Amino acid sequence: FFQANPPTREYLYKILVVGDLGTGKTSIIRRYVHNIFSTNYKSTIGVDFALKVVQWSSEIIVRLQLWDIAGQERFGNMTRVYYKGALGAFVVYDVTRPQSFEGVTKWKQDLDAKVTLPGAWGGGHIPVVLLANKSDLLQDGHGQAIQPQEMDKFCQEQGFAHWFETSAKDNTNIDEAARYLIQSIVSLE
Ligand code: GTP
Ligand code: MG
């Protein structure tokens, strides 16, 4: 009578969101999970969590557990604890603040030093996607325009899977970046 549905597979992925203070990590997560944005800045203390359930395909449901790590944690000694069991990460910088781009390399090094994929996944580095956030401000004349070729080269040298220009304010490229990271992890399965 009834066609048996193909078995549904569910995956739980722990994803880290790191980057310097005020680069927009919390705003990106709020936009992605709740589709809201606020100009109020309330710095994250320690770590926050959010869950997003994604129907990835007809057979695959992905539960993303997003770990929103405070920018100031780079100077603390808790990141090793926070990173445990993560399968992917976003590193966020603010396109209007070159100093936050310097933080990118430091965050990537911190990730590479402290987190590896579980043995069943090959044990290498987790996929990391770079987010050049607040791109709406570039259109308003703040900061330096992004040079895509330089960014490609930087990502290749630093071992980033990919980069995206994002705006939590305008909801630009956040879904795309998340999809890219999920795909990178799904293809490890
Ligand atoms: P910490 O928790 O302190 O590490 O900061 P954070 O990286 O979580 O930054 P948060 O999301 O709190 O954003 C900091 C400020 O930047 C807030 O005032 C946000 O409104 C603003 N902001 C975040 N994303 C964007 C964006 O895409 N465009 C613009 N114009 N402002 C943004
Ligand atoms: Mg925050």
Side-chain angles (χ1 to χ4, degrees):
F1 292 82
F2 295 102
Q3 180 85 40
N5 290 322
T8 307
R9 281 170 289 157
E10 271 194 40
Y11 298 126
L12 177 68
Y13 293 163
K14 173 176 172 177
I15 304 296
L16 308 169
V17 185
V18 299
D20 280 358
L21 219 69
T23 53
K25 301 175 293 294
T26 301
S27 301
I28 288 168
I29 292 170
R30 282 211 187 128
R31 173 60 83 187
Y32 183 54
V33 176
H34 304 293
N35 202 18
I36 54 170
F37 176 78
S38 161
T39 53
N40 285 338
Y41 177 30
K42 202 165 151 266
S43 199
T44 305
I45 310 287
V47 64
D48 260 333
F49 306 94
L51 184 76
K52 167 107 173 171
V53 182
V54 179
Q55 182 79 48
W56 181 250
S57 67
S58 53
E59 289 118 76
I60 298 177
I61 292 168
V62 174
R63 290 173 184 276
L64 289 185
Q65 192 183 74
L66 298 155
W67 287 54
D68 176 7
I69 296 169
Q72 62 188 11
E73 287 297 311
R74 182 151 65 78
F75 309 101
N77 42 33
M78 285 297 286
T79 57
R80 190 184 295 278
V81 176
Y82 297 150
Y83 293 173
K84 200 170 158 52
L87 295 177
F90 293 109
V91 176
V92 184
Y93 80 98
D94 175 343
V95 292
T96 68
R97 282 190 293 134
Q99 225 194 355
S100 72
F101 187 75
E102 285 165 36
V104 166
T105 314
K106 293 170 183 148
W107 279 105
K108 182 65 166 63
Q109 282 166 358
D110 198 51
L111 291 167
D112 288 348
K114 295 176 182 167
V115 59
T116 49
L117 289 166
W121 304 63
H125 290 157
I126 61 172
V128 184
V129 170
L130 176 60
L131 303 182
N133 191 43
K134 308 196 188 182
S135 65
D136 57 285
L137 294 175
L138 291 177
Q139 286 142 34
D140 298 346
H142 301 275
Q144 287 263 306
I146 290 173
Q147 306 291 327
Q149 280 169 351
E150 279 180 33
M151 285 291 274
D152 288 344
K153 187 161 164 274
F154 177 80
C155 284
Q156 209 158 35
E157 286 167 359
Q158 301 288 323
F160 286 94
H162 206 39
W163 66 275
F164 291 87
E165 228 179 287
T166 59
S167 167
K169 186 179 178 207
D170 291 354
N171 197 13
T172 306
N173 274 341
I174 292 171
D175 281 322
E176 287 78 359
R179 236 177 284 140
Y180 191 94
L181 186 59
I182 295 170
Q183 178 61 60
S184 307
I185 302 169
V186 167
S187 58
L188 295 168
E189 294 275 0

